[in-house]
Amino acid sequence: STLFPYTTLFRSSYLADESLRYLFGTHEDYILAYYEAVSDKYGSMDGLICEGLGLSESDRMELREMYTL
Protein backbone atom coordinates (compact mmCIF):
# COMPACT_ATOMS: atom_id res chain seq x y z
CA SER A 1 0.00 0.00 0.00
CA THR A 2 1.25 3.52 -0.76
CA LEU A 3 0.10 4.62 2.69
CA PHE A 4 2.29 2.07 4.45
CA PRO A 5 5.13 4.43 5.41
CA TYR A 6 2.67 6.95 6.82
CA THR A 7 0.57 4.46 8.75
CA THR A 8 3.73 2.99 10.24
CA LEU A 9 4.97 6.44 11.23
CA PHE A 10 1.72 7.37 12.97
CA ARG A 11 1.48 4.17 15.00
CA SER A 12 3.74 5.89 17.51
CA SER A 13 1.51 8.21 19.51
CA TYR A 14 4.49 10.49 20.17
CA LEU A 15 5.05 11.04 16.44
CA ALA A 16 1.34 11.50 15.86
CA ASP A 17 1.10 14.06 18.66
CA GLU A 18 4.16 15.92 17.43
CA SER A 19 2.90 15.92 13.85
CA LEU A 20 -0.51 17.22 14.85
CA ARG A 21 1.08 19.89 17.02
CA TYR A 22 3.23 20.96 14.06
CA LEU A 23 0.34 20.96 11.57
CA PHE A 24 -2.33 22.61 13.70
CA GLY A 25 -0.42 24.42 16.43
CA THR A 26 0.77 27.97 16.53
CA HIS A 27 2.84 30.26 18.65
CA GLU A 28 1.84 33.56 20.15
CA ASP A 29 4.63 35.28 18.21
CA TYR A 30 3.11 34.12 14.90
CA ILE A 31 -0.31 35.46 15.81
CA LEU A 32 1.10 38.80 16.96
CA ALA A 33 3.16 39.10 13.75
CA TYR A 34 0.02 38.39 11.71
CA TYR A 35 -1.96 41.14 13.44
CA GLU A 36 0.93 43.56 13.08
CA ALA A 37 1.20 42.81 9.34
CA VAL A 38 -2.55 43.29 8.90
CA SER A 39 -2.40 46.56 10.82
CA ASP A 40 0.54 47.80 8.75
CA LYS A 41 -1.07 46.95 5.42
CA TYR A 42 -4.79 47.51 6.05
CA GLY A 43 -5.00 49.51 9.28
CA SER A 44 -7.31 47.03 10.99
CA MET A 45 -9.03 43.68 10.64
CA ASP A 46 -12.01 45.53 9.15
CA GLY A 47 -9.64 46.97 6.54
CA LEU A 48 -8.39 43.49 5.72
CA ILE A 49 -11.93 42.21 5.31
CA CYS A 50 -13.08 45.12 3.14
CA GLU A 51 -9.94 45.99 1.17
CA GLY A 52 -7.95 42.78 1.27
CA LEU A 53 -10.81 40.34 0.74
CA GLY A 54 -13.07 42.72 -1.16
CA LEU A 55 -16.12 42.03 0.98
CA SER A 56 -18.88 44.58 1.32
CA GLU A 57 -20.58 45.46 4.58
CA SER A 58 -23.57 43.31 3.60
CA ASP A 59 -21.20 40.40 2.87
CA ARG A 60 -19.69 40.82 6.32
CA MET A 61 -23.08 40.88 7.99
CA GLU A 62 -24.15 37.76 6.12
CA LEU A 63 -20.98 35.92 7.18
CA ARG A 64 -21.43 37.11 10.76
CA GLU A 65 -24.96 35.72 10.80
CA MET A 66 -23.80 32.39 9.35
CA TYR A 67 -20.78 31.82 11.60
CA THR A 68 -21.54 33.36 14.97
CA LEU A 69 -23.94 32.30 17.67
Side-chain angles (χ1 to χ4, degrees), residues 14-49:
Y14 172 77
L15 287 177
D17 289 347
E18 287 301 305
S19 296
L20 290 174
R21 218 179 324 265
Y22 175 76
L23 289 171
F24 299 110
T26 189
H27 297 278
E28 182 179 4
D29 294 344
Y30 299 164
I31 295 169
L32 294 174
Y34 169 76
Y35 280 106
E36 185 176 342
V38 166
S39 180
D40 290 347
K41 186 165 185 170
Y42 299 105
S44 67
M45 291 303 289
D46 287 334
L48 168 67
I49 292 168

Side-chain angles (χ1 to χ4, degrees), residues 1 3 12 16 18 21 33 35 40 47 53-55 57 59 64:
S1 164
L3 293 178
S12 162
E18 287 301 305
R21 218 179 324 265
Y35 280 106
D40 290 347
L53 300 176
L55 297 176
E57 188 62 29
D59 294 333
R64 182 176 286 161

